Amino acid sequence: MKEEIEILRKHIELKGLRKTNQRYKVLEIFLSNEEHLSVDELYSLVEKKYPEISHSTVFRSMKIIFDAGLASKMMGCDSIVRYEHLYKHSQHGHMICSKCHEMIEFDDSKIKELLKKAAKKEKFKPQVFKTRILGLCKKCQD
Ligand SMILES: [Zn+2]
Ligand SMILES: [Zn+2]
């Protein structure tokens, strides 16, 4: 977590953003959880420990944490943006259940290699790869 704090601190300095402790508290809660969290979900966790932090602070802090390269965004079936850890986490794809919204992570490195090759052929410079499979999880199939 120390390294992440350092990355966030540098980003805030570089961008000349206002220095408040609350952003680090939001980061702390975000990092202490391995789930894929929407801003609302994260806010309810933050609220339990730091009731003085507002929803809009959580919202703005997550934007900054994302810009600093510490989080990635993904969208579930419910079209809600969720954040997950990015720093030192391996890239992966998501299988998303359209019924219970469960998210299953899987290794998509081979798929990414294929996509990179396809991009190279077109001289296209890829920036973001997102592998997403929508469907029904094991439990929801019967
Ligand atoms: Zn399901
Ligand atoms: Zn994930």
Side-chain angles (χ1 to χ4, degrees):
M1 155 117 204
K2 266 193 184 142
E3 279 175 79
E4 282 98 331
I5 291 173
E6 195 51 25
I7 289 169
L8 185 61
R9 199 186 56 77
K10 277 191 187 142
H11 177 79
I12 287 171
E13 243 176 48
L14 197 78
K15 296 272 163 184
L17 300 168
R18 210 156 48 86
K19 288 176 188 123
T20 80
N21 272 330
Q22 296 195 337
R23 291 187 180 128
Y24 298 99
K25 290 177 181 167
V26 173
L27 180 69
E28 174 205 318
I29 303 293
F30 173 63
L31 292 177
S32 65
N33 208 292
E34 283 293 337
E35 299 290 309
H36 303 81
L37 294 171
S38 67
V39 169
D40 289 348
E41 287 157 355
L42 182 64
Y43 172 65
S44 58
L45 295 174
V46 170
E47 206 187 12
K48 276 182 215 156
K49 197 167 173 195
Y50 302 115
E52 74 279 10
I53 296 180
S54 69
H55 186 279
S56 64
T57 297
V58 173
F59 180 81
R60 282 196 309 264
S61 300
M62 269 325 291
K63 250 187 113 256
I64 294 165
I65 291 166
F66 174 80
D67 288 340
L70 294 168
S72 71
K73 270 187 213 173
M74 46 116 30
M75 207 186 269
C77 282
D78 46 9
S79 299
I80 294 170
V81 171
R82 288 192 165 76
Y83 290 98
E84 65 179 326
H85 308 169
L86 181 59
Y87 186 65
K88 283 192 175 165
H89 275 62
S90 61
Q91 291 274 338
H92 53 261
H94 294 100
M95 297 178 200
I96 304 160
C97 178
S98 53
K99 213 165 158 189
C100 71
H101 297 170
E102 206 205 334
M103 273 179 231
I104 301 154
E105 297 187 338
F106 67 96
D107 174 14
D108 62 349
S109 49
K110 281 195 184 128
I111 298 163
K112 269 182 195 143
E113 282 314 308
L114 289 175
L115 293 175
K116 271 183 201 160
K117 268 186 204 155
K120 205 174 171 190
K121 214 174 139 196
E122 298 298 327
K123 292 197 164 60
F124 185 85
K125 193 175 170 228
Q127 288 169 323
V128 186
F129 293 97
K130 283 197 172 142
T131 319
R132 227 158 53 114
I133 306 174
L134 306 182
L136 291 171
C137 76
K138 222 193 235 166
K139 280 176 284 166
C140 294
Q141 284 171 31
D142 6 89

